[in-house]
């Protein structure tokens, strides 16, 4: 039987304390026909050397050393090098279930999917044992309106997925974006491609190891607003019928950023650019013919009257006040 080749792209940067766990989980896969593309993004620790050590002992490894350019640059390098029929992304401080590729690929093949999504778990330590998965269950077929509502992290991240390589042809990460690059990658893919078949399965196959110095824990003005800037610069990339969904997500992201930075040193910096983004989003929102008038009024009021938006959130979840007080009492690092 001719087994499909799966390309696993791993961007690597200064993760010498975590990389071995990640690579061991990849090379322990029950499905063996894989190529592992390790992109050393200018690491200054032993990460690059560790990649080379694995390549010497396993012919399936392809190691690329490049100057530091960020995770999007590293992933793009991997995409250009990949030769598999399917593509997966794994972050170099995370790890995967031994049957990760086996189960995702089985689902991909049996359903003729374009993207298959599994569940994932946040962890603080690396496990030594895993439960065997007999077969996928409770398949959920989703059309291209996957992100119709405010997207969950599972939908937006590029890990915990297997992609058909053909749909990623000439589709790359925006290297100018340093925050939510995953979401932007998936958004532009889903909403610039017609009739994608997306399958979700309930099994937890990906383990997200969160460390304090991870990029997702760092919020600055440039980082927080880069996602909104991307939406505004690439508005025409999206199919016309999807611009309403993208506009709503951009507005919700704007409000979320303002909430996340409230009472933090980054808040004043965010507010410096708020008026410009606000005007651009409102202008685009007004031009969308199929957005209900009630939604337009709601978003307009929330953008103009942030205090009202915050009040409604607090009424829905009073613990927000305690969280904000705790943030306010913390000294900037």
């Amino acid at each position: 039987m001719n087994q499909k080749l799966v390309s696993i792209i791993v961007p690597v940067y200064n993760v010498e304390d975590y990389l071995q766990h990640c690579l061991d989980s990849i090379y322990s896969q029950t499905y063996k026909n894989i190529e592992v593309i390790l992109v050393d993004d200018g690491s200054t620790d032993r990460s690059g050397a560790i990649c080379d050590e694995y390549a010497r002992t396993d012919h399936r490894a392809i190691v690329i050393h490049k100057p530091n350019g960020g995770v999007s640059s590293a992933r793009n390098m991997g995409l250009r090098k990949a030769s598999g029929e399917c593509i997966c992304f794994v972050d170099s401080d995370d790890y995967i279930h031994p049957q990760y590729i086996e189960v995702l690929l089985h689902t991909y093949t049996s359903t003729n999917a374009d993207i298959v999504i599994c569940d994932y778990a946040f962890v603080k330590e690396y496990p030594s044992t895993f439960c065997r998965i007999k077969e996928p269950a409770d398949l959920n077929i989703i059309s291209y309106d996957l992100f119709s509502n405010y997207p969950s992290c599972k939908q937006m991240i590029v890990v915990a997925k297997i992609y058909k390589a053909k749909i990623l042809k000439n589709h790359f990460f925006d290297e100018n974006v340093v925050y939510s690059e995953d979401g932007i990658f998936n958004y532009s893919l889903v909403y610039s491609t017609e009739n994608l078949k997306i399958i979700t399965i309930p099994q937890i196959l990906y383990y997200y190891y969160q460390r304090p110095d991870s990029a997702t824990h760092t919020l600055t003005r440039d980082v927080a607003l880069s996602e909104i800037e991307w939406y505004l610069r690439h508005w025409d990339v999206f199919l016309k019928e999807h611009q309403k969904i993208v506009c709503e997500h951009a507005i919700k992201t704007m409000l979320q950023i303002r909430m996340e930075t409230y009472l933090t040193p980054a808040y004043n910096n965010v507010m410096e650019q708020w008026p410009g983004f606000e005007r651009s989003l409102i202008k685009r929102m007004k031009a969308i013919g199929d957005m209900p008038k009630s939604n337009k009024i709601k978003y307009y009021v929330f953008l103009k009257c942030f205090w009202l938006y915050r009040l409604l959130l607090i009424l829905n979840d009073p613990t927000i006040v305690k969280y904000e007080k705790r943030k306010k009492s913390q000294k900037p690092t």
Side-chain angles (χ1 to χ4, degrees), residues 265-321:
Y267 185 75
N268 290 335
N269 291 331
V270 168
M271 291 309 299
E272 288 178 8
Q273 295 191 34
W274 181 274
F277 289 146
E278 180 186 272
R279 285 193 298 270
S280 296
L281 285 172
I282 289 175
K283 180 180 178 180
R284 284 164 172 76
M285 182 176 66
K286 288 180 177 178
I288 298 173
D290 61 342
M291 181 183 290
K293 187 175 181 179
S294 58
N295 281 17
K296 291 184 178 181
I297 294 173
K298 177 181 68 175
Y299 293 134
Y300 181 86
V301 171
F302 284 166
L303 287 170
K304 291 292 186 180
C305 305
F306 175 71
W307 63 268
L308 178 59
Y309 173 77
R310 178 171 170 270
L311 176 62
L312 292 175
L313 286 184
I314 291 173
L315 291 175
N316 185 59
D317 182 7
T319 61
I320 291 175
V321 176

Short mmCIF file of all heavy atoms in Angstrom, two decimals, residues 265-321:
data_model
loop_
_atom_site.label_atom_id
_atom_site.label_comp_id
_atom_site.label_asym_id
_atom_site.label_seq_id
_atom_site.Cartn_x
_atom_site.Cartn_y
_atom_site.Cartn_z
N PRO A 265 0.44 48.93 31.28
CA PRO A 265 1.23 49.98 30.63
C PRO A 265 0.99 50.07 29.12
O PRO A 265 1.22 51.11 28.51
CB PRO A 265 2.68 49.56 30.92
CG PRO A 265 2.59 48.75 32.17
CD PRO A 265 1.28 48.02 32.09
N ALA A 266 0.54 48.97 28.51
CA ALA A 266 0.33 48.96 27.06
C ALA A 266 -0.94 49.70 26.65
O ALA A 266 -1.11 50.02 25.47
CB ALA A 266 0.26 47.52 26.55
N TYR A 267 -1.81 50.01 27.61
CA TYR A 267 -3.13 50.56 27.26
C TYR A 267 -3.02 51.91 26.55
O TYR A 267 -3.65 52.13 25.51
CB TYR A 267 -3.98 50.71 28.53
CG TYR A 267 -5.39 51.17 28.25
CD1 TYR A 267 -6.32 50.30 27.70
CD2 TYR A 267 -5.80 52.48 28.53
CE1 TYR A 267 -7.62 50.70 27.45
CE2 TYR A 267 -7.09 52.89 28.29
CZ TYR A 267 -8.00 51.99 27.75
OH TYR A 267 -9.28 52.41 27.48
N ASN A 268 -2.21 52.82 27.09
CA ASN A 268 -2.06 54.13 26.46
C ASN A 268 -1.50 54.02 25.05
O ASN A 268 -1.89 54.77 24.14
CB ASN A 268 -1.18 55.05 27.30
CG ASN A 268 -1.87 55.47 28.59
OD1 ASN A 268 -3.10 55.49 28.67
ND2 ASN A 268 -1.07 55.80 29.60
N ASN A 269 -0.58 53.08 24.85
CA ASN A 269 -0.02 52.88 23.51
C ASN A 269 -1.08 52.36 22.54
O ASN A 269 -1.13 52.77 21.39
CB ASN A 269 1.15 51.89 23.58
CG ASN A 269 2.35 52.47 24.28
OD1 ASN A 269 2.56 53.67 24.26
ND2 ASN A 269 3.13 51.62 24.93
N VAL A 270 -1.91 51.44 23.02
CA VAL A 270 -3.00 50.93 22.18
C VAL A 270 -3.94 52.06 21.79
O VAL A 270 -4.36 52.18 20.63
CB VAL A 270 -3.78 49.82 22.91
CG1 VAL A 270 -5.09 49.48 22.18
CG2 VAL A 270 -2.93 48.57 23.05
N MET A 271 -4.24 52.95 22.74
CA MET A 271 -5.20 54.02 22.48
C MET A 271 -4.66 55.06 21.49
O MET A 271 -5.44 55.79 20.87
CB MET A 271 -5.59 54.69 23.79
CG MET A 271 -6.43 53.79 24.70
SD MET A 271 -7.84 53.06 23.84
CE MET A 271 -8.74 54.53 23.36
N GLU A 272 -3.34 55.12 21.33
CA GLU A 272 -2.78 56.06 20.36
C GLU A 272 -3.25 55.73 18.95
O GLU A 272 -3.47 56.62 18.13
CB GLU A 272 -1.24 56.02 20.42
CG GLU A 272 -0.65 56.67 21.67
CD GLU A 272 0.86 56.55 21.69
OE1 GLU A 272 1.44 56.10 20.68
OE2 GLU A 272 1.47 56.90 22.71
N GLN A 273 -3.40 54.43 18.66
CA GLN A 273 -3.79 54.02 17.31
C GLN A 273 -5.28 53.69 17.20
O GLN A 273 -5.77 53.43 16.10
CB GLN A 273 -2.96 52.82 16.86
CG GLN A 273 -1.48 53.13 16.72
CD GLN A 273 -0.72 52.02 16.04
OE1 GLN A 273 -1.24 51.36 15.16
NE2 GLN A 273 0.52 51.82 16.46
N TRP A 274 -5.97 53.68 18.33
CA TRP A 274 -7.37 53.29 18.33
C TRP A 274 -8.23 54.12 17.36
O TRP A 274 -9.01 53.55 16.58
CB TRP A 274 -7.92 53.37 19.75
CG TRP A 274 -9.36 52.98 19.88
CD1 TRP A 274 -10.45 53.78 19.72
CD2 TRP A 274 -9.86 51.68 20.19
NE1 TRP A 274 -11.60 53.06 19.92
CE2 TRP A 274 -11.27 51.78 20.21
CE3 TRP A 274 -9.27 50.45 20.46
CZ2 TRP A 274 -12.09 50.68 20.48
CZ3 TRP A 274 -10.09 49.36 20.75
CH2 TRP A 274 -11.47 49.48 20.75
N PRO A 275 -8.15 55.47 17.36
CA PRO A 275 -9.05 56.25 16.49
C PRO A 275 -8.93 55.88 15.01
O PRO A 275 -9.93 55.79 14.31
CB PRO A 275 -8.61 57.70 16.75
CG PRO A 275 -8.01 57.67 18.13
CD PRO A 275 -7.31 56.35 18.21
N GLY A 276 -7.70 55.67 14.54
CA GLY A 276 -7.51 55.34 13.13
C GLY A 276 -8.13 54.00 12.77
O GLY A 276 -8.81 53.86 11.74
N PHE A 277 -7.89 52.99 13.61
CA PHE A 277 -8.47 51.68 13.36
C PHE A 277 -9.99 51.73 13.45
O PHE A 277 -10.71 51.10 12.68
CB PHE A 277 -7.93 50.66 14.36
CG PHE A 277 -6.49 50.30 14.15
CD1 PHE A 277 -5.66 50.01 15.21
CD2 PHE A 277 -5.96 50.26 12.86
CE1 PHE A 277 -4.34 49.68 15.02
CE2 PHE A 277 -4.63 49.93 12.65
CZ PHE A 277 -3.82 49.64 13.73
N GLU A 278 -10.48 52.48 14.43
CA GLU A 278 -11.92 52.60 14.64
C GLU A 278 -12.60 53.18 13.40
O GLU A 278 -13.61 52.64 12.92
CB GLU A 278 -12.19 53.49 15.86
CG GLU A 278 -13.64 53.69 16.19
CD GLU A 278 -13.80 54.70 17.32
OE1 GLU A 278 -13.76 54.30 18.49
OE2 GLU A 278 -13.94 55.90 17.00
N ARG A 279 -12.03 54.25 12.86
CA ARG A 279 -12.61 54.87 11.66
C ARG A 279 -12.61 53.90 10.48
O ARG A 279 -13.59 53.81 9.73
CB ARG A 279 -11.84 56.15 11.30
CG ARG A 279 -12.13 57.33 12.22
CD ARG A 279 -11.57 58.62 11.63
NE ARG A 279 -10.12 58.57 11.48
CZ ARG A 279 -9.27 58.95 12.43
NH1 ARG A 279 -9.72 59.41 13.59
NH2 ARG A 279 -7.96 58.89 12.22
N SER A 280 -11.50 53.17 10.31
CA SER A 280 -11.39 52.25 9.18
C SER A 280 -12.40 51.11 9.28
O SER A 280 -13.03 50.74 8.29
CB SER A 280 -9.97 51.67 9.11
OG SER A 280 -9.03 52.69 8.84
N LEU A 281 -12.57 50.58 10.48
CA LEU A 281 -13.51 49.48 10.66
C LEU A 281 -14.96 49.94 10.49
O LEU A 281 -15.77 49.25 9.87
CB LEU A 281 -13.33 48.85 12.05
CG LEU A 281 -12.09 47.96 12.20
CD1 LEU A 281 -11.90 47.56 13.65
CD2 LEU A 281 -12.20 46.72 11.32
N ILE A 282 -15.28 51.10 11.02
CA ILE A 282 -16.65 51.61 10.88
C ILE A 282 -16.96 51.88 9.40
O ILE A 282 -18.06 51.59 8.92
CB ILE A 282 -16.84 52.88 11.73
CG1 ILE A 282 -16.84 52.51 13.23
CG2 ILE A 282 -18.14 53.59 11.36
CD1 ILE A 282 -16.91 53.70 14.15
N LYS A 283 -15.99 52.42 8.67
CA LYS A 283 -16.18 52.68 7.24
C LYS A 283 -16.46 51.39 6.49
O LYS A 283 -17.38 51.33 5.65
CB LYS A 283 -14.93 53.37 6.68
CG LYS A 283 -15.02 53.69 5.20
CD LYS A 283 -13.74 54.37 4.72
CE LYS A 283 -13.81 54.64 3.22
NZ LYS A 283 -12.55 55.30 2.74
N ARG A 284 -15.70 50.35 6.78
CA ARG A 284 -15.91 49.08 6.11
C ARG A 284 -17.23 48.44 6.53
O ARG A 284 -17.93 47.83 5.72
CB ARG A 284 -14.74 48.13 6.40
CG ARG A 284 -13.49 48.48 5.61
CD ARG A 284 -12.25 47.81 6.17
NE ARG A 284 -11.10 48.00 5.31
CZ ARG A 284 -10.41 49.11 5.20
NH1 ARG A 284 -10.75 50.17 5.93
NH2 ARG A 284 -9.37 49.20 4.39
N MET A 285 -17.55 48.58 7.81
CA MET A 285 -18.80 48.01 8.31
C MET A 285 -20.01 48.63 7.62
O MET A 285 -20.96 47.93 7.24
CB MET A 285 -18.88 48.20 9.83
CG MET A 285 -20.12 47.60 10.48
SD MET A 285 -20.09 47.77 12.27
CE MET A 285 -20.22 49.56 12.46
N LYS A 286 -20.00 49.93 7.42
CA LYS A 286 -21.12 50.62 6.78
C LYS A 286 -21.31 50.16 5.34
O LYS A 286 -22.43 50.16 4.82
CB LYS A 286 -20.89 52.13 6.80
CG LYS A 286 -21.05 52.76 8.19
CD LYS A 286 -20.80 54.27 8.13
CE LYS A 286 -21.02 54.91 9.50
NZ LYS A 286 -20.75 56.38 9.47
N ALA A 287 -20.20 49.74 4.70
CA ALA A 287 -20.26 49.35 3.28
C ALA A 287 -20.75 47.91 3.10
O ALA A 287 -21.01 47.48 1.97
CB ALA A 287 -18.90 49.52 2.64
N ILE A 288 -20.88 47.15 4.18
CA ILE A 288 -21.31 45.75 4.08
C ILE A 288 -22.83 45.69 4.05
O ILE A 288 -23.50 45.99 5.05
CB ILE A 288 -20.74 44.92 5.25
CG1 ILE A 288 -19.21 44.92 5.20
CG2 ILE A 288 -21.27 43.48 5.19
CD1 ILE A 288 -18.55 44.28 6.38
N GLY A 289 -23.37 45.29 2.92
CA GLY A 289 -24.82 45.33 2.75
C GLY A 289 -25.57 44.26 3.50
O GLY A 289 -26.72 44.47 3.91
N ASP A 290 -24.95 43.07 3.72
CA ASP A 290 -25.69 41.97 4.33
C ASP A 290 -25.51 41.88 5.84
O ASP A 290 -25.92 40.89 6.46
CB ASP A 290 -25.31 40.64 3.69
CG ASP A 290 -23.83 40.30 3.86
OD1 ASP A 290 -23.05 41.23 4.17
OD2 ASP A 290 -23.46 39.13 3.69
N MET A 291 -24.90 42.89 6.46
CA MET A 291 -24.81 42.89 7.93
C MET A 291 -26.07 43.55 8.49
O MET A 291 -26.41 44.66 8.11
CB MET A 291 -23.57 43.64 8.42
CG MET A 291 -23.43 43.63 9.94
SD MET A 291 -22.01 44.61 10.56
CE MET A 291 -20.63 43.61 10.01
N PRO A 292 -26.78 42.86 9.39
CA PRO A 292 -28.00 43.43 9.97
C PRO A 292 -27.74 44.81 10.59
O PRO A 292 -26.69 45.04 11.20
CB PRO A 292 -28.40 42.41 11.03
CG PRO A 292 -27.77 41.13 10.59
CD PRO A 292 -26.49 41.52 9.92
N LYS A 293 -28.70 45.70 10.44
CA LYS A 293 -28.56 47.05 10.96
C LYS A 293 -28.35 47.04 12.47
O LYS A 293 -27.59 47.84 13.02
CB LYS A 293 -29.79 47.88 10.60
CG LYS A 293 -29.66 49.35 10.96
CD LYS A 293 -30.87 50.14 10.48
CE LYS A 293 -30.72 51.62 10.83
NZ LYS A 293 -31.89 52.41 10.35
N SER A 294 -29.02 46.09 13.16
CA SER A 294 -28.88 46.01 14.62
C SER A 294 -27.44 45.69 15.02
O SER A 294 -26.93 46.20 16.02
CB SER A 294 -29.82 44.93 15.17
OG SER A 294 -29.55 43.66 14.58
N ASN A 295 -26.77 44.84 14.22
CA ASN A 295 -25.36 44.52 14.50
C ASN A 295 -24.47 45.74 14.29
O ASN A 295 -23.54 46.00 15.06
CB ASN A 295 -24.89 43.38 13.61
CG ASN A 295 -25.35 42.03 14.10
OD1 ASN A 295 -26.28 41.95 14.91
ND2 ASN A 295 -24.75 40.96 13.61
N LYS A 296 -24.75 46.48 13.22
CA LYS A 296 -23.95 47.67 12.94
C LYS A 296 -24.07 48.68 14.08
O LYS A 296 -23.08 49.28 14.51
CB LYS A 296 -24.40 48.31 11.63
CG LYS A 296 -24.05 47.49 10.39
CD LYS A 296 -24.45 48.24 9.12
CE LYS A 296 -24.07 47.45 7.88
NZ LYS A 296 -24.40 48.14 6.62
N ILE A 297 -25.29 48.86 14.58
CA ILE A 297 -25.51 49.80 15.69
C ILE A 297 -24.77 49.32 16.94
O ILE A 297 -24.12 50.10 17.64
CB ILE A 297 -27.02 49.95 15.97
CG1 ILE A 297 -27.71 50.64 14.78
CG2 ILE A 297 -27.25 50.75 17.26
CD1 ILE A 297 -29.21 50.68 14.89
N LYS A 298 -24.89 48.01 17.22
CA LYS A 298 -24.24 47.44 18.41
C LYS A 298 -22.73 47.67 18.36
O LYS A 298 -22.12 48.15 19.33
CB LYS A 298 -24.54 45.95 18.49
CG LYS A 298 -23.84 45.24 19.65
CD LYS A 298 -24.17 43.76 19.65
CE LYS A 298 -23.56 43.04 18.45
NZ LYS A 298 -23.77 41.59 18.50
N TYR A 299 -22.09 47.32 17.23
CA TYR A 299 -20.64 47.46 17.13
C TYR A 299 -20.22 48.92 17.15
O TYR A 299 -19.18 49.27 17.73
CB TYR A 299 -20.13 46.78 15.85
CG TYR A 299 -20.29 45.28 15.86
CD1 TYR A 299 -20.80 44.60 14.76
CD2 TYR A 299 -19.92 44.53 16.97
CE1 TYR A 299 -20.94 43.23 14.77
CE2 TYR A 299 -20.06 43.15 17.00
CZ TYR A 299 -20.57 42.50 15.88
OH TYR A 299 -20.72 41.15 15.89
N TYR A 300 -21.01 49.78 16.53
CA TYR A 300 -20.70 51.21 16.53
C TYR A 300 -20.69 51.75 17.96
O TYR A 300 -19.77 52.47 18.37
CB TYR A 300 -21.71 51.97 15.67
CG TYR A 300 -21.45 53.46 15.59
CD1 TYR A 300 -20.57 53.98 14.65
CD2 TYR A 300 -22.06 54.35 16.47
CE1 TYR A 300 -20.32 55.34 14.57
CE2 TYR A 300 -21.82 55.71 16.41
CZ TYR A 300 -20.94 56.20 15.45
OH TYR A 300 -20.69 57.54 15.39
N VAL A 301 -21.71 51.38 18.73
CA VAL A 301 -21.81 51.85 20.12
C VAL A 301 -20.65 51.30 20.95
O VAL A 301 -20.03 52.03 21.74
CB VAL A 301 -23.16 51.44 20.73
CG1 VAL A 301 -23.17 51.72 22.23
CG2 VAL A 301 -24.30 52.19 20.04
N PHE A 302 -20.32 50.03 20.77
CA PHE A 302 -19.23 49.44 21.56
C PHE A 302 -17.89 50.08 21.23
O PHE A 302 -17.07 50.31 22.13
CB PHE A 302 -19.15 47.93 21.29
CG PHE A 302 -20.22 47.14 21.99
CD1 PHE A 302 -20.47 45.82 21.64
CD2 PHE A 302 -20.98 47.70 23.01
CE1 PHE A 302 -21.45 45.08 22.28
CE2 PHE A 302 -21.96 46.97 23.65
CZ PHE A 302 -22.20 45.66 23.29
N LEU A 303 -17.65 50.38 19.95
CA LEU A 303 -16.39 51.02 19.58
C LEU A 303 -16.30 52.44 20.11
O LEU A 303 -15.24 52.88 20.57
CB LEU A 303 -16.23 51.02 18.05
CG LEU A 303 -15.90 49.67 17.40
CD1 LEU A 303 -16.02 49.76 15.88
CD2 LEU A 303 -14.51 49.19 17.78
N LYS A 304 -17.40 53.16 20.06
CA LYS A 304 -17.42 54.54 20.51
C LYS A 304 -17.55 54.67 22.03
O LYS A 304 -17.07 55.65 22.61
CB LYS A 304 -18.58 55.29 19.84
CG LYS A 304 -18.42 55.52 18.35
CD LYS A 304 -17.28 56.50 18.07
CE LYS A 304 -17.19 56.85 16.61
NZ LYS A 304 -16.08 57.80 16.33
N CYS A 305 -18.21 53.71 22.66
CA CYS A 305 -18.46 53.77 24.11
C CYS A 305 -17.91 52.51 24.77
O CYS A 305 -18.66 51.60 25.14
CB CYS A 305 -19.95 53.91 24.39
SG CYS A 305 -20.74 55.29 23.58
N PHE A 306 -16.59 52.45 24.89
CA PHE A 306 -15.97 51.25 25.44
C PHE A 306 -16.45 50.98 26.86
O PHE A 306 -16.56 49.82 27.28
CB PHE A 306 -14.45 51.41 25.42
CG PHE A 306 -13.72 50.28 26.08
CD1 PHE A 306 -13.68 49.03 25.49
CD2 PHE A 306 -13.09 50.46 27.30
CE1 PHE A 306 -13.02 47.98 26.10
CE2 PHE A 306 -12.42 49.42 27.92
CZ PHE A 306 -12.39 48.17 27.32
N TRP A 307 -16.75 52.02 27.62
CA TRP A 307 -17.20 51.85 29.01
C TRP A 307 -18.47 51.00 29.06
O TRP A 307 -18.65 50.20 29.99
CB TRP A 307 -17.44 53.20 29.67
CG TRP A 307 -18.54 54.01 29.03
CD1 TRP A 307 -18.40 54.94 28.04
CD2 TRP A 307 -19.94 53.94 29.33
NE1 TRP A 307 -19.63 55.46 27.69
CE2 TRP A 307 -20.59 54.86 28.47
CE3 TRP A 307 -20.71 53.20 30.23
CZ2 TRP A 307 -21.97 55.06 28.48
CZ3 TRP A 307 -22.08 53.40 30.25
CH2 TRP A 307 -22.70 54.31 29.38
N LEU A 308 -19.34 51.14 28.05
CA LEU A 308 -20.57 50.36 28.01
C LEU A 308 -20.27 48.89 27.72
O LEU A 308 -20.83 47.99 28.35
CB LEU A 308 -21.51 50.92 26.95
CG LEU A 308 -22.84 50.17 26.76
CD1 LEU A 308 -23.65 50.16 28.05
CD2 LEU A 308 -23.65 50.80 25.62
N TYR A 309 -19.36 48.66 26.79
CA TYR A 309 -18.95 47.29 26.46
C TYR A 309 -18.35 46.61 27.70
O TYR A 309 -18.71 45.48 28.03
CB TYR A 309 -17.92 47.33 25.33
CG TYR A 309 -17.28 46.00 25.01
CD1 TYR A 309 -17.97 45.04 24.27
CD2 TYR A 309 -15.98 45.71 25.42
CE1 TYR A 309 -17.38 43.82 23.97
CE2 TYR A 309 -15.38 44.50 25.12
CZ TYR A 309 -16.09 43.56 24.39
OH TYR A 309 -15.51 42.35 24.08
N ARG A 310 -17.47 47.33 28.40
CA ARG A 310 -16.84 46.78 29.59
C ARG A 310 -17.87 46.51 30.67
O ARG A 310 -17.83 45.47 31.36
CB ARG A 310 -15.77 47.74 30.10
CG ARG A 310 -15.06 47.31 31.37
CD ARG A 310 -13.88 48.21 31.68
NE ARG A 310 -13.38 47.92 33.00
CZ ARG A 310 -13.79 48.52 34.11
NH1 ARG A 310 -14.72 49.47 34.04
NH2 ARG A 310 -13.28 48.21 35.28
N LEU A 311 -18.84 47.42 30.85
CA LEU A 311 -19.89 47.24 31.85
C LEU A 311 -20.71 45.99 31.58
O LEU A 311 -21.00 45.20 32.50
CB LEU A 311 -20.80 48.47 31.87
CG LEU A 311 -22.03 48.39 32.82
CD1 LEU A 311 -21.56 48.25 34.27
CD2 LEU A 311 -22.89 49.63 32.65
N LEU A 312 -21.06 45.76 30.32
CA LEU A 312 -21.84 44.57 29.97
C LEU A 312 -21.06 43.28 30.23
O LEU A 312 -21.62 42.28 30.69
CB LEU A 312 -22.28 44.65 28.51
CG LEU A 312 -23.30 45.75 28.18
CD1 LEU A 312 -23.55 45.80 26.67
CD2 LEU A 312 -24.61 45.52 28.93
N LEU A 313 -19.76 43.34 29.97
CA LEU A 313 -18.93 42.17 30.26
C LEU A 313 -18.88 41.89 31.75
O LEU A 313 -18.95 40.73 32.19
CB LEU A 313 -17.52 42.37 29.72
CG LEU A 313 -17.31 42.27 28.21
CD1 LEU A 313 -15.82 42.41 27.89
CD2 LEU A 313 -17.83 40.96 27.67
N ILE A 314 -18.75 42.94 32.54
CA ILE A 314 -18.67 42.78 34.00
C ILE A 314 -19.99 42.24 34.55
O ILE A 314 -20.00 41.38 35.45
CB ILE A 314 -18.29 44.11 34.67
CG1 ILE A 314 -16.84 44.48 34.32
CG2 ILE A 314 -18.48 44.05 36.18
CD1 ILE A 314 -16.42 45.86 34.78
N LEU A 315 -21.10 42.72 34.02
CA LEU A 315 -22.40 42.21 34.46
C LEU A 315 -22.54 40.72 34.15
O LEU A 315 -23.17 39.98 34.90
CB LEU A 315 -23.53 43.00 33.79
CG LEU A 315 -23.69 44.46 34.24
CD1 LEU A 315 -24.76 45.15 33.41
CD2 LEU A 315 -24.04 44.53 35.73
N ASN A 316 -21.94 40.31 33.05
CA ASN A 316 -21.99 38.90 32.67
C ASN A 316 -20.99 38.06 33.45
O ASN A 316 -21.24 36.89 33.73
CB ASN A 316 -21.71 38.77 31.17
CG ASN A 316 -21.87 37.35 30.68
OD1 ASN A 316 -22.94 36.75 30.80
ND2 ASN A 316 -20.81 36.80 30.10
N ASP A 317 -19.87 38.68 33.83
CA ASP A 317 -18.83 37.97 34.57
C ASP A 317 -18.18 38.91 35.58
O ASP A 317 -17.18 39.58 35.27
CB ASP A 317 -17.77 37.42 33.60
CG ASP A 317 -16.69 36.62 34.31
OD1 ASP A 317 -16.83 36.37 35.53
OD2 ASP A 317 -15.70 36.24 33.64
N PRO A 318 -18.70 38.98 36.81
CA PRO A 318 -18.19 39.92 37.84
C PRO A 318 -16.73 39.67 38.23
O PRO A 318 -16.08 40.56 38.78
CB PRO A 318 -19.12 39.66 39.03
CG PRO A 318 -20.36 39.08 38.42
CD PRO A 318 -19.89 38.27 37.26
N THR A 319 -16.20 38.47 37.94
CA THR A 319 -14.81 38.19 38.32
C THR A 319 -13.82 39.05 37.54
O THR A 319 -12.65 39.13 37.91
CB THR A 319 -14.47 36.71 38.10
OG1 THR A 319 -14.61 36.40 36.70
CG2 THR A 319 -15.39 35.81 38.90
N ILE A 320 -14.28 39.68 36.47
CA ILE A 320 -13.40 40.56 35.69
C ILE A 320 -12.85 41.68 36.55
O ILE A 320 -11.69 42.08 36.41
CB ILE A 320 -14.16 41.14 34.47
CG1 ILE A 320 -14.45 40.02 33.47
CG2 ILE A 320 -13.37 42.26 33.81
CD1 ILE A 320 -15.29 40.46 32.28
N VAL A 321 -13.68 42.19 37.48
CA VAL A 321 -13.25 43.28 38.35
C VAL A 321 -12.07 42.85 39.21
O VAL A 321 -11.07 43.56 39.36
CB VAL A 321 -14.41 43.78 39.22
CG1 VAL A 321 -13.93 44.85 40.20
CG2 VAL A 321 -15.53 44.33 38.35
#
